[in-house]
Amino acid sequence: MKKLLVAALLVVGMTTFAQEQVKEQKAPMTTEQKVESQVKKMTKELNLNDKQVQEIKTIVAKEVAMKAAAKADMEARKASGVKLPKEEVKARKAKSQDDEIAMDANMKKILNADQYAKWAQKQQERKEKMEAKRAEKLKGDSEEK
């Protein structure tokens, strides 16, 4: 019985150690890898043709670059402890909404009606999932205080 217990503990310990090593090996994706990944996913989901793939690749590349710049800016502000003024926050939200509208218009031009409907549905699902995560995080933060 003792041997069985020792063997079980050994297996659990080795499994945990192996999983930690796998997590450490994952390197962050480069901008090009992110673009390729998103385009492949959209190609699979929406059944895009070659022309659509090329047009979407340019749009996604711009979007990924903008997000990377925004993330770098946010991390720099967070590290320095500087908060944005309310006017700046409002301006950034307005710009974000304008970018979203522009993306929607571009996708409407590139995709056919069925593809656009699928894309819009996926975007809505993604938005709802993000809002749920944000609400959960805010709920968790308020409970800690």
Side-chain angles (χ1 to χ4, degrees), residues 8 44 81 86:
K44 183 180 176 184
K86 288 183 180 182

Side-chain angles (χ1 to χ4, degrees), residues 69-86:
K71 184 177 180 180
D73 181 48
M74 180 186 70
E75 288 175 353
R77 278 195 333 273
K78 199 173 196 180
S80 67
V82 176
K83 290 191 176 187
L84 288 176
K86 288 183 180 182

Side-chain angles (χ1 to χ4, degrees), residues 25-95:
Q25 292 174 354
K26 286 187 178 180
M29 293 174 69
T30 65
T31 304
E32 294 81 21
Q33 289 172 328
K34 288 177 185 179
V35 170
E36 286 299 320
S37 175
Q38 286 185 16
V39 171
K40 282 182 184 178
K41 185 176 179 184
M42 289 176 73
T43 301
K44 183 180 176 184
E45 290 174 351
L46 303 174
N47 195 23
L48 302 175
N49 63 37
D50 292 338
K51 182 182 177 196
Q52 289 173 322
V53 168
Q54 292 305 316
E55 292 173 345
I56 286 177
K57 190 179 269 189
T58 59
I59 293 171
V60 170
K62 289 177 188 174
E63 183 181 3
V64 168
M66 284 184 355
K67 285 182 180 180
K71 184 177 180 180
D73 181 48
M74 180 186 70
E75 288 175 353
R77 278 195 333 273
K78 199 173 196 180
S80 67
V82 176
K83 290 191 176 187
L84 288 176
K86 288 183 180 182
E87 299 82 28
E88 180 74 19
V89 172
K90 287 181 182 179
R92 287 182 183 218
K93 282 184 181 181
K95 184 184 181 317

